[in-house]
Amino acid sequence: MTTNDVGYADYQDLAADHGYRDLPDLADRRLGAGVLAANDELFAERENLLRPEPAVFQPHTFGPKGQLMDGWETRRRRGTAARPHAGTTDHDWALIRLGLPGVVHGIVVDTAHFRGNYPQRISVEATELPGTPGPEQLLAADWTELVPPSPVQGHAANGFPVADRRRWTHLRLNQYPDGGIARLRVHGEGRPDAAWLAALGSFDLAALEHGGRIEDASDRFFSPPVNLILPGRSREMGEGWENRRRRDEGHDWVRLRLAGRGSVRAVEIDTANYVGNAAGWAAVLGFDAADPQAGDPADPAAPGWFELVGRTELQPDALHRFVPTDARPATHARLDVFPDGGIARLRLHGSLA
């Protein structure tokens, strides 16, 4: 048994050059995404498509239906166009509810560890439906093609840019004629229901699930800054934002675009699970892009930046709570950490202006 049989030595990342990979995954299970139905999942369950961790392969682990695979795998099609398997069409499909409705910039169909049993082609369709529709309503919906039927390679991250900039709530992943897909990633910009946010009144303006977004960061070495605005508390060190150790006089930072222009009334900085590598100090600043005198939020020296929480010492593995010193509206925020170190979560509670 060679490394190529069980690992990633020959894995091809065909989506690596696409800029959309830095955008959040709208189909992240942690945001509430789900695979609602599939026409076939004989060999491996459809729910595996949205697992956040990379797919793994354990050789010679057989169940009653064959080798256990970490992905969604359908049976070999033995029907014909005239007589397909009962309840199927000429291809296999799965219905996906996005955890965060929004604009899709790119899709990654990952066939990791599927070397002789991956599909020949895939396609992806999208629809927008209100509420929480079930499979029956989705199958009867009108669908728009985001990715036309396209060839894919086995044991590879197959990337597909998407040009349509409309808002979507659900996807249909099709594979032709059958086969296995390990993971599906849907990178884009979240656009939650504006009426729902208005009804909430007060909420976390930075949260990914509410439309907050990481615009830039000084360092992404150990883990991505988008972890800062994921739902819930982190369960381990890898679920926060951790930068490398600085050997200069600078400091690390993350710039966020808030869900909307709003006033921040409470700030939480959580260093959970960072024991020996938490940030030593932190500060939080706001910026109102609606102010014509504010300048560019990408400029850390722009006159529009104002202090929400001044530089404050942090404790490891602890939740810190602050009342901002300035209540003016903001469209952006910046978290500065001194000189470096890990932060698990950032919460900016407030309401839309």
PDB file of all heavy atoms in Angstrom, residues 254-266:
ATOM      1  N   VAL A 254      -7.562  42.460  11.865  1.00  0.00           N
ATOM      2  CA  VAL A 254      -8.604  41.951  10.970  1.00  0.00           C
ATOM      3  C   VAL A 254      -9.583  43.094  10.713  1.00  0.00           C
ATOM      4  O   VAL A 254     -10.012  43.772  11.654  1.00  0.00           O
ATOM      5  CB  VAL A 254      -9.361  40.760  11.595  1.00  0.00           C
ATOM      6  CG1 VAL A 254     -10.520  40.352  10.707  1.00  0.00           C
ATOM      7  CG2 VAL A 254      -8.440  39.588  11.815  1.00  0.00           C
ATOM      8  N   ARG A 255      -9.936  43.300   9.445  1.00  0.00           N
ATOM      9  CA  ARG A 255     -10.935  44.323   9.095  1.00  0.00           C
ATOM     10  C   ARG A 255     -12.227  43.635   8.655  1.00  0.00           C
ATOM     11  O   ARG A 255     -12.204  42.720   7.840  1.00  0.00           O
ATOM     12  CB  ARG A 255     -10.431  45.237   7.980  1.00  0.00           C
ATOM     13  CG  ARG A 255     -11.372  46.418   7.716  1.00  0.00           C
ATOM     14  CD  ARG A 255     -10.841  47.375   6.672  1.00  0.00           C
ATOM     15  NE  ARG A 255     -10.915  46.837   5.324  1.00  0.00           N
ATOM     16  CZ  ARG A 255      -9.880  46.478   4.599  1.00  0.00           C
ATOM     17  NH1 ARG A 255      -8.649  46.565   5.090  1.00  0.00           N
ATOM     18  NH2 ARG A 255     -10.039  46.002   3.370  1.00  0.00           N
ATOM     19  N   LEU A 256     -13.340  44.091   9.217  1.00  0.00           N
ATOM     20  CA  LEU A 256     -14.641  43.496   8.944  1.00  0.00           C
ATOM     21  C   LEU A 256     -15.584  44.515   8.328  1.00  0.00           C
ATOM     22  O   LEU A 256     -15.539  45.710   8.653  1.00  0.00           O
ATOM     23  CB  LEU A 256     -15.293  42.970  10.225  1.00  0.00           C
ATOM     24  CG  LEU A 256     -14.516  42.044  11.144  1.00  0.00           C
ATOM     25  CD1 LEU A 256     -13.773  42.829  12.212  1.00  0.00           C
ATOM     26  CD2 LEU A 256     -15.457  41.047  11.800  1.00  0.00           C
ATOM     27  N   ARG A 257     -16.459  44.029   7.462  1.00  0.00           N
ATOM     28  CA  ARG A 257     -17.610  44.817   7.018  1.00  0.00           C
ATOM     29  C   ARG A 257     -18.827  44.306   7.771  1.00  0.00           C
ATOM     30  O   ARG A 257     -19.128  43.101   7.748  1.00  0.00           O
ATOM     31  CB  ARG A 257     -17.825  44.673   5.513  1.00  0.00           C
ATOM     32  CG  ARG A 257     -18.946  45.584   4.973  1.00  0.00           C
ATOM     33  CD  ARG A 257     -19.133  45.388   3.489  1.00  0.00           C
ATOM     34  NE  ARG A 257     -19.636  44.045   3.199  1.00  0.00           N
ATOM     35  CZ  ARG A 257     -19.683  43.514   1.981  1.00  0.00           C
ATOM     36  NH1 ARG A 257     -19.192  44.174   0.960  1.00  0.00           N
ATOM     37  NH2 ARG A 257     -20.174  42.308   1.804  1.00  0.00           N
ATOM     38  N   LEU A 258     -19.531  45.197   8.449  1.00  0.00           N
ATOM     39  CA  LEU A 258     -20.667  44.796   9.267  1.00  0.00           C
ATOM     40  C   LEU A 258     -21.879  44.439   8.407  1.00  0.00           C
ATOM     41  O   LEU A 258     -21.935  44.763   7.213  1.00  0.00           O
ATOM     42  CB  LEU A 258     -21.017  45.911  10.249  1.00  0.00           C
ATOM     43  CG  LEU A 258     -19.888  46.361  11.181  1.00  0.00           C
ATOM     44  CD1 LEU A 258     -20.382  47.447  12.127  1.00  0.00           C
ATOM     45  CD2 LEU A 258     -19.313  45.182  11.955  1.00  0.00           C
ATOM     46  N   ALA A 259     -22.856  43.788   9.018  1.00  0.00           N
ATOM     47  CA  ALA A 259     -24.065  43.380   8.310  1.00  0.00           C
ATOM     48  C   ALA A 259     -24.803  44.577   7.725  1.00  0.00           C
ATOM     49  O   ALA A 259     -25.513  44.447   6.724  1.00  0.00           O
ATOM     50  CB  ALA A 259     -24.981  42.611   9.254  1.00  0.00           C
ATOM     51  N   GLY A 260     -24.645  45.721   8.328  1.00  0.00           N
ATOM     52  CA  GLY A 260     -25.249  46.963   7.856  1.00  0.00           C
ATOM     53  C   GLY A 260     -24.744  48.102   8.719  1.00  0.00           C
ATOM     54  O   GLY A 260     -24.033  47.890   9.707  1.00  0.00           O
ATOM     55  N   ARG A 261     -25.086  49.302   8.343  1.00  0.00           N
ATOM     56  CA  ARG A 261     -24.677  50.463   9.136  1.00  0.00           C
ATOM     57  C   ARG A 261     -25.445  50.443  10.450  1.00  0.00           C
ATOM     58  O   ARG A 261     -26.676  50.481  10.478  1.00  0.00           O
ATOM     59  CB  ARG A 261     -24.950  51.754   8.365  1.00  0.00           C
ATOM     60  CG  ARG A 261     -24.471  53.023   9.038  1.00  0.00           C
ATOM     61  CD  ARG A 261     -24.581  54.206   8.095  1.00  0.00           C
ATOM     62  NE  ARG A 261     -24.079  55.424   8.704  1.00  0.00           N
ATOM     63  CZ  ARG A 261     -24.847  56.353   9.281  1.00  0.00           C
ATOM     64  NH1 ARG A 261     -26.171  56.180   9.311  1.00  0.00           N
ATOM     65  NH2 ARG A 261     -24.322  57.422   9.816  1.00  0.00           N
ATOM     66  N   GLY A 262     -24.721  50.356  11.550  1.00  0.00           N
ATOM     67  CA  GLY A 262     -25.392  50.243  12.836  1.00  0.00           C
ATOM     68  C   GLY A 262     -24.529  50.714  13.979  1.00  0.00           C
ATOM     69  O   GLY A 262     -23.337  50.993  13.817  1.00  0.00           O
ATOM     70  N   SER A 263     -25.148  50.804  15.136  1.00  0.00           N
ATOM     71  CA  SER A 263     -24.458  51.237  16.347  1.00  0.00           C
ATOM     72  C   SER A 263     -24.111  50.024  17.199  1.00  0.00           C
ATOM     73  O   SER A 263     -24.982  49.202  17.512  1.00  0.00           O
ATOM     74  CB  SER A 263     -25.351  52.191  17.158  1.00  0.00           C
ATOM     75  OG  SER A 263     -25.627  53.368  16.411  1.00  0.00           O
ATOM     76  N   VAL A 264     -22.834  49.921  17.572  1.00  0.00           N
ATOM     77  CA  VAL A 264     -22.360  48.812  18.401  1.00  0.00           C
ATOM     78  C   VAL A 264     -22.524  49.192  19.867  1.00  0.00           C
ATOM     79  O   VAL A 264     -21.993  50.207  20.323  1.00  0.00           O
ATOM     80  CB  VAL A 264     -20.890  48.490  18.091  1.00  0.00           C
ATOM     81  CG1 VAL A 264     -20.394  47.363  18.986  1.00  0.00           C
ATOM     82  CG2 VAL A 264     -20.726  48.118  16.621  1.00  0.00           C
ATOM     83  N   ARG A 265     -23.256  48.365  20.629  1.00  0.00           N
ATOM     84  CA  ARG A 265     -23.535  48.665  22.029  1.00  0.00           C
ATOM     85  C   ARG A 265     -22.812  47.739  23.004  1.00  0.00           C
ATOM     86  O   ARG A 265     -22.734  48.030  24.196  1.00  0.00           O
ATOM     87  CB  ARG A 265     -25.045  48.579  22.274  1.00  0.00           C
ATOM     88  CG  ARG A 265     -25.847  49.614  21.490  1.00  0.00           C
ATOM     89  CD  ARG A 265     -27.291  49.655  21.962  1.00  0.00           C
ATOM     90  NE  ARG A 265     -28.023  50.696  21.279  1.00  0.00           N
ATOM     91  CZ  ARG A 265     -28.699  50.520  20.144  1.00  0.00           C
ATOM     92  NH1 ARG A 265     -28.733  49.327  19.588  1.00  0.00           N
ATOM     93  NH2 ARG A 265     -29.342  51.517  19.569  1.00  0.00           N
ATOM     94  N   ALA A 266     -22.298  46.621  22.511  1.00  0.00           N
ATOM     95  CA  ALA A 266     -21.577  45.682  23.377  1.00  0.00           C
ATOM     96  C   ALA A 266     -20.586  44.895  22.532  1.00  0.00           C
ATOM     97  O   ALA A 266     -20.895  44.513  21.400  1.00  0.00           O
ATOM     98  CB  ALA A 266     -22.553  44.736  24.082  1.00  0.00           C
TER      99      ALA A 266
END
